[in-house]
Amino acid sequence: RLVKQGQVQSDMSTSQQPYFACVRNTLNAAMCLQSFGCQDVERHNKPEIEVARSPELILNPIVISRTENERVMIETSVNSMRISIKIKQADALEEMLVAKFMRFLMRRAEQFAVLRRKPVEGYDISFLITNKHLEGMMKHKVIDFIIQFMEDIDKEVSAMKLNVNSRGRVVASKFLEQF
């Protein structure tokens, strides 16, 4: 995108740019998936990262942390990869909002081709990408989707928190008017 002189590009906050760039570059390097038949059952092609029967086919997981409470874990195997995201939660309200929003999304996992129904333990949401997904979708578009998802989730949680706080303020003022 071209940015005119004097304009501020507001797609990503300045502090998050290195974090998202690191995640993007790591996904680009790790997303080299190929078709690989199951070693146990003939004519089956299961995601090795999910099955985990052959440790020689699974690479070490990569964890990219921005803070203690905001991180991404990328697990790669020969024919699949799992991307798990821990979303920033500063207080109890954000924890509740993230839990409800992630549950809402995971119930609709079949509408997202790459979303898992259950996240990896310690993370809020997980994506599973197989070689079949990359045969039907462009690699850079899948990476763009993951990064855009991470950016939008932060914005959505912040907007929901502001909305809940403003509603609470209105309710409290109406309640206290009675006294």
Side-chain angles (χ1 to χ4, degrees), residues 104-117 133:
F104 172 81
L105 287 176
M106 286 183 280
R107 284 187 179 158
R108 289 146 183 85
E110 64 276 351
Q111 294 173 359
F112 298 94
V114 295
L115 185 63
R116 290 183 77 223
R117 282 203 173 271
H133 292 124

Side-chain angles (χ1 to χ4, degrees), residues 172-179:
S173 66
K174 291 292 183 189
F175 178 74
L176 292 175
E177 283 177 0
Q178 297 173 359
F179 300 107

Side-chain angles (χ1 to χ4, degrees), residues 37 46 52 88 105 119 168:
K46 305 240 185 226
K88 178 184 65 165
L105 287 176

Side-chain angles (χ1 to χ4, degrees), residues 15 23 30 50 93 131 154:
S15 65
V23 172
E50 293 286 312
L93 178 59
N131 64 309
D154 286 341

Side-chain angles (χ1 to χ4, degrees), residues 48-82:
E48 289 294 330
I49 200 71
E50 293 286 312
V51 177
R53 287 190 189 143
S54 305
E56 66 272 6
L57 301 175
I58 299 173
L59 299 174
N60 292 331
I62 300 168
V63 179
I64 302 168
S65 295
R66 184 166 177 255
T67 64
E68 241 181 65
N69 298 326
E70 190 175 9
R71 62 185 183 272
V72 175
M73 180 171 65
I74 302 169
E75 301 169 284
T76 307
S77 72
V78 68
N79 66 350
S80 58
M81 70 185 308
R82 186 169 44 208

Side-chain angles (χ1 to χ4, degrees), residues 37 40 61 66 84 87 91 110-111 128 143 158 161 164 169-170 172:
D40 297 333
R66 184 166 177 255
S84 303
I87 299 163
D91 56 12
E110 64 276 351
Q111 294 173 359
L128 176 68
I143 294 171
S158 297
K161 184 177 179 183
V164 167
R169 198 172 8 263
V170 169

Side-chain angles (χ1 to χ4, degrees), residues 36-46 48 53:
F36 188 83
C38 181
Q39 293 182 332
D40 297 333
V41 182
E42 190 176 333
R43 295 182 184 219
H44 280 237
N45 193 346
K46 305 240 185 226
E48 289 294 330
R53 287 190 189 143

